[in-house]
Amino acid sequence: MERLLYTYFRSSAAYRVRIAMNLKGLPYQSIPVHLVREGGQQHAAAFRKLNPQELVPVLVEDGHAMRQSLAIIEWLEERHPTPSLLPGDAETRCRIRQIACTIACDVHPLQNLRVVQYLTGVLGASEDAKTEWMRHWMTLGFDALETELAVAPWRGRFCVGDVPTLADCCLVPQLFNARRIGINVERDYPVLAGIDAACGEIPAFMEAHPARQVDAE
């Protein structure tokens, strides 16, 4: 079976999928798509055929191309259910999804490369203003997650319980991005930092880290 993952080492959406695939023990070949070089390789005609949105990741398995990180991970969960990234009863799965969506739907889109490029390129925002924009939306989401998880009786070593789930697949890449723009995660978000540290001990998370990718700079 051929399994190709079109990815970019710093893309948090692709990072999520790499973690999920590693946790499930699914081998894949990384196909780097550099989002900045050559004006953005995601805009090339060949890649647009795979994803008209011109975004990574794209997972191609058995000739079928799948897009959007959460949809890909849900598909992996259905196709390869063990180990589960959405374990437990309906209430537990809802908690996992709500954390994942807080990050992937509310926080991450406002940090996306094409959004911040529009801020600086079209709207004329300075680099400092761009960074402040990113920090504002990221801290808004993290403040809410930290508050919730600090008192949640269902929190364990990870976001929900004592095994990594979809929520952790989303949290870890966003914390990586937070550190890149100067947010002091350990000082400001000790609960989130503790979960991140627990994830960092697991090989699946280590191997998915941007620094470990074939296109890392």
Side-chain angles (χ1 to χ4, degrees), residues 48 60 75 79 102-103 110 183 189 200 208 217:
R48 285 204 308 272
V60 178
W75 180 86
R79 187 78 180 270
T102 296
I103 296 165
L110 293 165
I183 293 175
Y189 304 105
E217 296 176 352

Side-chain angles (χ1 to χ4, degrees), residues 9-212:
F9 74 110
R10 274 202 301 253
S11 162
S12 58
Y15 192 173
R16 293 172 203 145
V17 175
R18 294 196 302 262
I19 294 168
M21 295 181 75
N22 291 346
L23 285 168
K24 289 182 175 291
L26 299 174
Y28 60 91
Q29 179 184 350
S30 290
I31 308 295
V33 179
H34 202 290
L35 301 186
V36 179
R37 191 176 297 155
E38 301 166 9
Q41 294 175 349
Q42 72 275 23
H43 304 309
F47 187 76
R48 285 204 308 272
K49 290 181 180 179
L50 282 175
N51 188 357
Q53 281 192 291
E54 303 175 23
L55 298 170
V56 295
V58 176
L59 176 64
V60 178
E61 184 167 319
D62 292 336
H64 301 290
M66 288 158 286
R67 303 177 288 275
Q68 288 292 337
S69 62
L70 294 188
I72 291 170
I73 296 172
E74 292 263 8
W75 180 86
L76 291 170
E77 184 72 5
E78 294 179 10
R79 187 78 180 270
H80 309 278
T82 305
S84 178
L85 299 178
L86 286 163
D89 59 17
E91 184 178 349
T92 300
R93 293 194 297 273
C94 182
R95 286 170 177 152
I96 293 168
R97 286 187 173 102
Q98 76 185 28
I99 294 170
C101 288
T102 296
I103 296 165
C105 302
D106 292 340
V107 177
H108 168 250
L110 293 165
Q111 325 293 319
N112 191 277
L113 178 65
R114 62 181 180 171
V115 171
V116 297
Q117 284 180 333
Y118 187 84
L119 283 174
T120 55
V122 177
L123 300 183
S126 67
E127 286 297 313
D128 286 344
K130 179 191 79 173
T131 301
E132 180 56 33
W133 164 279
M134 296 172 72
R135 286 177 182 157
H136 171 77
W137 296 111
M138 207 175 297
T139 56
L140 199 65
F142 285 163
D143 287 349
L145 284 175
E146 181 78 9
T147 298
E148 178 181 22
L149 291 175
V151 297
W154 37 263
R155 191 192 94 233
R157 189 162 179 251
F158 302 99
C159 286
V160 182
D162 292 320
V163 295
T165 68
L166 171 62
D168 306 289
C169 292
C170 293
L171 176 64
V172 168
Q174 202 62 50
L175 292 176
F176 171 81
N177 285 347
R179 293 183 177 99
R180 286 187 62 230
I181 62 170
I183 293 175
N184 190 325
V185 172
E186 283 67 28
R187 181 194 66 200
D188 298 338
Y189 304 105
V191 173
L192 301 184
I195 294 168
D196 184 57
C199 291
E201 297 174 1
I202 299 173
F205 285 85
M206 296 179 194
E207 292 162 10
H209 193 279
R212 301 283 293 273

